[in-house]
């Protein structure tokens, strides 16, 4: 399962541009990830500048490793 910590997210949109299958949707202060389409590449998790995206399946490294769930 993926989730975006909306208390950390600054809605910069970086993850939207990173996602290779365009399954992240951002509308001002609403952000959603379509997990049906997600291919679990982890690009958004690594690419989020504030570490707001976490996923229970994520085993990669990078800046957000310490907050993975
Ligand atoms: S990259 Fe991170 S901070 Fe930016 S919109 Fe996505 S989840 Fe929010
Ligand atoms: S893990 Fe990859 S496919 Fe899934 S939402 Fe993030 S960037 Fe998109």
């Amino acid at each position: 399962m993926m989730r975006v910590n909306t208390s950390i997210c600054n809605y910069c949109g970086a993850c939207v541009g990173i996602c290779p299958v365009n399954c992240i949707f951002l509308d001002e202060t609403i952000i959603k990830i379509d997990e049906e389409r997600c291919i679990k590449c982890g690009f958004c998790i690594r690419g989020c500048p504030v570490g707001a995206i976490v996923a229970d399946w994520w085993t990669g490294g990078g800046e957000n490793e310490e907050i993975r769930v």
Side-chain angles (χ1 to χ4, degrees), residues 3-25:
R3 64 187 170 83
V4 178
N5 186 336
T6 53
S7 66
I8 299 174
C9 175
N10 60 17
Y11 306 98
C12 67
C15 56
V16 176
I18 287 170
C19 180
V21 295
N22 298 315
C23 70
I24 305 177
F25 303 95

Side-chain angles (χ1 to χ4, degrees), residues 7 18 22 24 31-32 37 40 45 56 59 61 67 69:
S7 66
I18 287 170
N22 298 315
I24 305 177
I31 183 164
K32 292 180 181 173
R37 290 169 55 191
K40 298 185 176 179
I45 298 172
D56 53 6
T59 57
I67 62 161
V69 292

Side-chain angles (χ1 to χ4, degrees), residues 54-66:
V54 291
D56 53 6
W57 46 262
W58 176 245
T59 57
E63 289 181 13
N64 304 334
E65 186 173 16
E66 69 278 3

